[in-house]
Amino acid sequence: MAVFTALGGELTGLSPEDARTAAHYALREINGPRDWFPVLLAAKLDVVGAVLETKIAGLFGEGADDAV
Amino acid sequence: MPSDHHSLRAIATLVPAAKLVAGDLLTRLEQRTPDGTAGLLDALAIIAQGTEEDRSRLARLSALRTTELWGNDLYKAWPWLQAWMSTDVAAAWTFIERALTTTPDDARAVLVRVLGFWDEVHFDVTAMWSELRRQPALLARIIPTVFRHLPPGDDPQHTGVYQIMAEDRAIDIRGRLPRLLEQIAGPESHAALKALAMHADLAALRPFFQNAVRRHGEAAAEGEPWTPAQIVAFAAEHECDPRPPGDLFRVACNRLQAVRHDIEERDFGDRGLFPPKTPEITLQRYFAGRLERESRGRYDVTREEEVADHKEPDIRLRRAQVGVVSIEIKPLDPGRYSVAEMKDTLETQLVGQYMRAVDSRHGILLLCMIKDRKWEIEKPDGTIDRTAGLPDLLKVLNDAAADLVAGRPDIDGLTVIGIDATPWAKAGKASKTKEAKAPAKPGGRAKVKTAAPTEGT
């Protein structure tokens, strides 16, 4: 959230690796994804989409889901 | 360590994320079923947020999987049945009807589980409820089946504080179905209501369905033309004789609102007439007298002096061939009646005992605040407001009343009216806070509301 605020709500400047890490953390929030997750999804659709795919693969016992 | 299905739940709560992966997830599920059920429900909830084509494919897949699993592994079948219910409720219900006939011993348990789906929190069932509203014939099939296998006579009897279980949620859904059918306009739902009014499995609900048929017809029909005498009476008094019970209820509410305005706003109203700890019976006498004096021939007032077990309301308004409105009165001052106690009065006392005892389908809880006090009320964000006033209290209680009416076919109208009968704050002696809320009134007193013209101005 601090990073989101520091970037002025603009997440397009994140590197792909940071975006991937942020997406993993967002999906692990115990109270549901943070407010900035939709912004991240819109800004980094490819990277976040790939993270979502790994979560789905986990349902079928595939992939290394915990990689952050 | 957060589990994988926790991530799936997170995706299911985010519509854009769910839409992004719904198609791919569905294709995977069509090719292969996961070994366990962990995360499966969330995966199905994700797909249900996909395109219309995704939902159609999900309905077909859910039907297939439910049928395959039902006789072999019921535990694994539930998530698929839930998905089927949310995407094609008519077909899923036909399956349930057949299942209930083959497992009569477990019928109540099956139905509790199935109705639990309809109150689901993380599976979007909006589309399913919309579909039910479009299919009154389906509702007319569902209602008798639900009441036959989940009979009210077998419901658990709760006393005091209790944890809401799946069975309680199913009972709540059961109570909402008849009202849902009544709310659907058109000849199909009207015919369904008439059929249910004569249904052998719904004898206990016959009064509700008979009244529902009448109300449904009234809502669809043009009203009877007024007679000249009615027009003359309306011109003079701005109201007519009540005919259906709902009219009597509206007249009662209007009278009590007029009494409230009289007490709260008039320069020589009755604010401050009642000292703290005034007995309830004193207020009963006062309001019974006010209602009787202002009846204008529309109703008779009955007040119960001594009733065995106190099973009757404080005041009843009755009109022959129209009905009965039950009124329960509670004085409010510091120490008397928490929010929970008033909710209990509404549901257990007024609806559960008094209205049932006098065969009344309309009730009013009249709260008369005789000394200023505050209540603790939970706000939507989960925090507690410890300084809630009478208007906040009325909002909470009227929401609860609306919930009761929606969920109980045995009542048609329920409302909570509050009257602030606390004394005017004396000008010059009131604290700054009180002055802000209760500005001084000409003549040395202050009043809370100043909408009415004040004396001498």
Side-chain angles (χ1 to χ4, degrees), chain A residues 20 23-24 27-28 46-68, chain B residues 4-5 7-8 11 21 24-25 28:
Chain A
R20 195 174 80 87
H24 274 288
L27 294 172
R28 289 181 172 193
D46 291 349
V47 177
V48 178
V51 172
L52 297 179
E53 291 296 334
T54 64
K55 302 295 179 188
I56 286 167
L59 177 69
F60 299 91
E62 304 164 4
D65 173 58
D66 279 337
V68 174
Chain B
D4 185 51
H5 74 260
S7 298
L8 288 173
I11 296 170
V21 298
D24 179 50
L25 184 52
R28 281 172 172 268

Side-chain angles (χ1 to χ4, degrees), chain B residues 227 229-230 233 237 239-252 255 291-292 294-302 315-327 358-362:
Chain B
T227 64
Q230 283 176 315
E237 301 173 22
E239 69 179 19
C240 290
D241 281 341
R243 285 181 293 179
D247 277 2
L248 182 61
F249 179 58
R250 278 188 287 277
V251 166
R255 290 289 193 278
L291 286 166
E292 188 173 45
E294 301 195 23
S295 68
R296 291 171 230 160
R298 309 278 185 236
Y299 53 77
D300 295 320
V301 181
T302 313
I315 297 174
R316 283 176 290 164
L317 304 189
R318 184 186 294 277
R319 184 177 175 86
Q321 276 124 35
V322 173
V324 180
V325 175
S326 306
I327 303 174
V358 297
D359 197 20
S360 165
R361 303 182 64 81
H362 297 84

Side-chain angles (χ1 to χ4, degrees), chain B residues 90-146:
Chain B
W93 184 257
T94 302
F95 175 83
I96 290 296
E97 283 176 331
R98 279 203 305 271
L100 289 172
T101 57
T102 54
T103 55
D105 292 345
D106 295 334
R108 188 175 177 96
V110 168
L111 217 42
V112 163
R113 188 91 191 234
V114 168
L115 292 185
F117 297 161
W118 300 12
D119 193 26
E120 184 54 57
V121 285
H122 71 268
F123 208 103
D124 185 6
V125 287
T126 314
M128 189 208 71
W129 281 105
S130 300
E131 192 58 33
L132 283 175
R133 287 190 189 92
R134 281 193 291 272
Q135 297 199 41
L138 175 62
L139 265 177
R141 265 172 52 205
I142 291 174
I143 290 168
T145 305
V146 168

